[in-house]
Amino acid sequence: MIDLTGKAALVTGGSRGIGRAISLRLAAQGADVAFSYHGNTLAADEVRAEIERLGRRALPVQADVADPEAADRLVKATLDAFGRIDILVNNAGITRDDLVMRMSLDAWRDVIDTNLSGAFYTVKAAMRPMLKARGGRIINITSVSGQAGQMGQANYSAAKAGLIGLTKALAREVASRGITANAVAPGFVLTELTRDLPDALKDELTKRTPLGRFGTVEEIANAVAFLASDEAAFITGQVLAVDGGLVMM
């Protein structure tokens, strides 16, 4: 059984969807969990209450990781509360979909700033305490869109592909200090966003997935919990696809 007792985790974008499931799964395995949220205080309070019901400490922090100063404050708040960061999960992300011909510069910048630069800022802020502790787990949530590309998502696909490159570069840089860096690449997952997709599109996406269904947020959280654990101590620089076989590389 995965045991994260005594560990402190920081999850960006941890109040809804995949991030919420990750926050709760890490807490269920014994970790204290800090998580950032953008603006939904009610959702953040609900996650905090659920973590505390699991007997773990919770720290919701309102922060936009696209702002490097906010990322610094987020890491500092986590260190002040827990004294350490053993697990960092970069999950915060947005979409601003459009075809390249019609995509605005703001839509490009916003997605790159949040999904890619935000992860860089948070990693950079957490790196010194992790290096000092000579250990840690960095897990970046990428996407099948970053592996295979997706029409209408040039910004999102570029950011998620960039996360894969960031993950592999980090893995090489920090391995000598006992820190691992890996990525999880979800496929089509049931969330608040995908539940509202037209049935015809859901059917098409299901047909494209060899296992014949959407994934669940809990299945993504399972993969993250494994990579955060001692059982994954010899795994680094890898992209774990949790996509029902959609992208086979």
Side-chain angles (χ1 to χ4, degrees):
M1 177 179 174
I2 293 171
D3 184 4
L4 302 177
T5 303
K7 304 291 186 182
L10 170 57
V11 181
T12 68
S15 65
R16 294 190 295 173
I18 290 173
R20 177 182 182 275
I22 292 169
S23 296
L24 296 180
R25 179 61 195 273
L26 296 179
Q29 302 307 136
D32 295 322
V33 181
F35 62 93
S36 71
Y37 66 99
H38 194 268
N40 191 331
T41 303
L42 179 60
D45 286 343
E46 289 174 351
V47 174
R48 173 173 57 186
E50 290 196 45
I51 291 171
E52 290 173 347
R53 276 197 292 271
L54 291 167
R56 308 314 310 166
R57 292 182 291 171
L59 178 69
V61 180
Q62 188 168 14
D64 180 358
V65 296
D67 176 359
E69 292 184 359
D72 285 341
R73 290 195 302 272
L74 172 62
V75 169
K76 184 178 185 303
T78 305
L79 292 170
D80 288 345
F82 300 153
R84 57 194 294 166
I85 298 176
D86 303 290
I87 301 160
L88 171 61
V89 183
N90 286 303
N91 168 75
I94 62 172
T95 56
R96 299 285 187 272
D97 295 354
D98 212 340
L99 296 175
V100 169
M101 286 181 61
R102 296 199 298 256
M103 185 175 290
S104 69
L105 294 181
D106 284 343
W108 172 267
R109 292 184 185 117
D110 288 349
V111 171
I112 297 295
D113 287 351
T114 298
N115 298 19
L116 179 56
S117 297
F120 169 75
Y121 298 146
T122 309
V123 165
K124 187 172 176 64
M127 189 52 58
R128 192 176 300 277
M130 276 194 173
L131 290 172
K132 188 174 180 180
R134 301 189 70 84
R137 301 281 187 267
I138 299 168
I139 302 158
N140 296 320
I141 306 302
T142 180
S143 168
V144 294
S145 296
Q147 295 176 298
Q150 185 69 27
M151 187 174 70
Q153 288 193 320
N155 48 5
Y156 187 79
S157 296
K160 292 300 188 178
L163 269 180
I164 292 173
L166 174 63
T167 299
K168 292 178 179 291
L170 273 173
R172 294 187 184 278
E173 288 188 16
V174 300
S176 65
R177 294 298 184 95
I179 302 168
T180 65
N182 292 289
V184 172
F188 298 115
V189 176
L190 287 172
T191 65
E192 294 172 0
L193 294 176
T194 56
R195 285 191 183 94
D196 294 331
L197 292 174
D199 288 342
L201 179 56
K202 287 182 183 177
D203 290 343
E204 174 61 26
L205 297 177
T206 298
K207 289 176 183 176
R208 288 168 55 188
T209 303
L211 283 182
R213 65 174 176 85
F214 277 53
T216 68
V217 293
E218 289 79 16
E219 287 170 324
I220 308 305
N222 290 343
V224 172
F226 167 67
L227 291 173
S229 71
D230 289 342
E231 283 83 351
F234 201 55
I235 300 173
T236 196
Q238 303 303 306
V239 180
L240 177 55
V242 187
D243 63 1
L246 181 62
V247 176
M248 299 186 189
M249 300 179 70

